[in-house]
Amino acid sequence: MSSLSSQAFAEARQMIPGGVNSPVRAFRGVGGEPFFVQRASGSKIWDLDGRELLDFVGTWGPAILGHAPKAVLDAVAEAAAKGVSFGIPNPYELEMARTILAWVPSIEKVRMVNSGTEATMSCLRLARGYTGRDKIVKFEGCYHGHADSLLVKAGSGALTHGQPDSAGVPAALAALTLTLPYNDLSALEAVFAREGREIAAVIVESIPANAGLYLPRPGYLERMRELCTKFGVVLIFDEVMTGFRLAKGGYQEICGLRPDLTALGKVIGGGLPVGAFGGRAEIMNCLSPDGPVYQAGTLSGNPLALAAGLAQLRELERLDAYRQLEERGAAFEERIRAALRRTGRDYCAQRIGSMFCLYFTPGPVWNLADAQRSDRTAFARFFHACLAGGVYLAPSQFEAGFLSLAHSEADLDLAAEVMERSLV
Ligand code: KE4
């Protein structure tokens, strides 16, 4: 008798491309079939067959408090009782704008959207409209959502499925996207020397976490900031994943840099569809209706989504979350490193705050080329052994894992024990 998830997936494949509404969920990077989730709470998820799993994906980042936190559920219920969508300015939009401007000082004006893709796509159009230039620079293996100009040497699912340069993107448009190896200062200097005055924007994941997880080399982002300032290029920090996760002010608070624009998503929606973008008022004022750059959205500023996001942000502040997430992340990292020592596996564990990745290759990993040395067959074997042991990790070597405030010491002990058994 096939499982309920398997039956559901068979039916889904008849109606939905690949049986999924987002490619990375299809388990193509690890083989096998995805399970269907029945419910989630705290650090756990249960599939249709009632199997309990310890979740380290956290719906790809939003579940920083854990799943279904009471504060978020209550806020959504309270908002829903007053109506679910207005298409008219509502007080939640004011409070969210106040919060973002207070938490992220580089953001002088902000606009709400419905996904990280919308946020980064809007940043690009705004940068092009503000500068009057067409070219953009992105980095190999970085993923910024699925807007055409950004599906060039992209990470995440595009990389997992071997389509970093998606079909359907006009060659003439893709030619305006210059891609560089990440952490390569000479390549960065060269592109600015060659065509800096033709570049509208540089967009970078503040911490690249869509080819696993690797960190900027010391001085790399600082030099990027300097070059953008010198050549009048808009520096866009994609903090969709790191925003409100690594610190109240995202990674830019940690590194002390001020991008010109920031893209946000995930945590800011408390699990509901929310994105945002913002930055220097001089640039944001180019947006319609004040300026010539058009951008819009029926559900932008949706009251339920903003109520969920605001409740989540308030909880993070109330619980002194970032100190706890760093402690939990460090404790988990030590457990993983101990398991690698005991099994003698020369694999590369990398982490920042509550985001982590285990590469099946000796480290360190500084860029996409390093990440692609990982033994993906061994990773797939490890993934399924962990799943069989009740631990759900991201179903691709080219993704990051996430801890939440709901992950207890016991959860971390169990996960480390299962991961160690799965390494052999
Ligand atoms: P969304 O459009 O999926 O909300 O956000 C796009 C995006 C933008 N920027 C960064 C740094 C991102 O990581 C993402 C989306 N992340 C992936 C996981 N790596 C979402 C999962 C999926 O595509 O199903």
Side-chain angles (χ1 to χ4, degrees):
M1 171 71 171
S2 66
S3 72
L4 294 177
S5 280
S6 187
Q7 291 170 43
F9 189 56
E11 184 185 1
R13 293 194 65 165
Q14 303 307 311
M15 302 180 287
I16 307 166
V20 292
N21 283 306
S22 196
V24 73
R25 304 176 192 172
F27 276 27
R28 298 289 173 82
V30 291
E33 291 185 348
F35 54 87
F36 275 60
V37 67
Q38 183 182 64
R39 69 183 181 90
S41 178
S43 60
K44 307 269 188 344
I45 50 181
W46 287 265
D47 71 10
L48 288 186
D49 298 281
R51 180 177 55 161
E52 178 181 295
L53 295 167
L54 195 45
D55 178 22
F56 288 90
V57 179
T59 180
W60 302 101
I64 192 169
L65 294 172
H67 287 289
K70 184 178 184 314
V72 171
L73 299 186
D74 290 349
V76 171
E78 183 185 345
K82 296 181 281 186
V84 295
S85 179
F86 308 120
I88 306 167
N90 71 75
Y92 289 106
E93 293 172 282
L94 264 182
E95 187 175 349
M96 182 59 87
R98 285 193 203 107
T99 303
I100 292 171
L101 267 58
W103 286 30
V104 190
S106 71
I107 296 182
E108 298 169 349
K109 284 198 173 179
V110 66
R111 177 157 287 174
M112 304 311 298
V113 291
N114 302 285
S115 69
T117 293
E118 271 195 79
T120 57
M121 175 181 73
S122 304
C123 283
L124 284 197
R125 184 180 314 130
L126 181 54
R128 285 169 160 158
Y130 171 71
T131 60
R133 303 174 185 177
D134 294 338
K135 292 179 181 176
I136 64 156
V137 170
K138 75 176 287 292
F139 299 89
E140 293 162 3
C142 282
Y143 178 73
H144 305 286
H146 64 91
D148 281 356
S149 288
L150 294 167
L151 283 180
V152 180
K153 291 191 178 50
S156 186
L159 184 59
T160 298
H161 301 107
Q163 296 125 356
D165 303 302
S166 173
V169 177
L173 181 63
L176 295 174
T177 299
L178 312 176
T179 56
L180 297 178
Y182 184 76
N183 268 330
D184 181 333
L185 258 186
S186 58
L188 190 66
E189 299 277 2
V191 79
F192 271 89
R194 190 175 63 240
E195 47 200 307
R197 296 283 172 207
E198 299 169 50
I199 299 170
V202 170
I203 184 167
V204 65
E205 288 184 58
S206 49
I207 294 292
N210 282 291
L213 182 125
Y214 39 83
L215 304 180
R217 286 186 187 279
Y220 182 65
L221 292 178
E222 289 73 8
R223 185 58 182 147
M224 192 182 292
R225 175 65 277 176
E226 286 170 5
L227 287 166
C228 285
T229 303
K230 180 180 175 187
F231 285 87
V233 172
V234 175
L235 176 57
I236 303 167
F237 266 21
D238 179 347
E239 296 231 43
V240 167
M241 207 185 272
T242 55
F244 311 109
R245 173 168 280 278
L246 294 184
K248 266 183 81 170
Y251 184 67
Q252 58 193 269
E253 175 186 308
I254 295 169
C255 68
L257 292 172
R258 282 176 76 100
D260 299 305
L261 294 177
T262 299
L264 297 165
K266 295 182 190 278
V267 169
I268 195 178
L272 272 67
V274 175
F277 66 103
R280 285 172 37 209
E282 178 192 357
I283 302 175
M284 293 297 288
N285 288 336
C286 294
L287 277 174
S288 177
D290 288 341
V293 179
Y294 197 69
Q295 180 276 330
T298 301
L299 299 175
S300 297
N302 175 271
L304 262 62
L306 297 198
L310 284 164
Q312 176 138 285
L313 296 182
R314 282 192 213 104
E315 279 296 275
L316 289 170
E317 195 166 42
R318 182 179 71 84
L319 297 169
D320 187 20
Y322 301 105
R323 179 184 53 75
Q324 289 194 59
L325 288 166
E326 174 50 36
E327 286 169 3
R328 227 153 288 199
F332 193 48
E333 179 181 3
E334 184 35 48
R335 284 171 171 82
I336 292 175
R337 291 189 182 284
L340 291 173
R341 286 193 297 271
R342 280 193 293 271
T343 56
R345 293 292 186 212
D346 185 13
Y347 295 153
C348 172
Q350 302 198 156
R351 173 189 72 89
I352 181 168
S354 55
M355 298 167 62
F356 66 90
C357 172
L358 180 59
Y359 287 106
F360 280 60
T361 180
V365 171
W366 289 108
N367 55 38
L368 176 62
D370 292 346
Q372 287 177 312
R373 288 202 309 269
S374 174
D375 178 342
R376 269 156 274 172
T377 304
F379 174 83
R381 201 166 44 242
F382 171 74
F383 168 85
H384 281 291
C386 288
L387 191 60
V391 174
Y392 175 52
L393 301 171
S396 166
Q397 173 66 91
F398 301 124
E399 296 290 354
F402 300 91
L403 292 172
S404 78
L405 286 184
H407 284 86
S408 65
E409 286 289 313
D411 289 338
L412 302 188
D413 288 339
L414 169 64
E417 185 191 317
V418 168
M419 291 170 80
E420 180 166 347
R421 282 207 309 269
S422 304
L423 281 170
V424 296

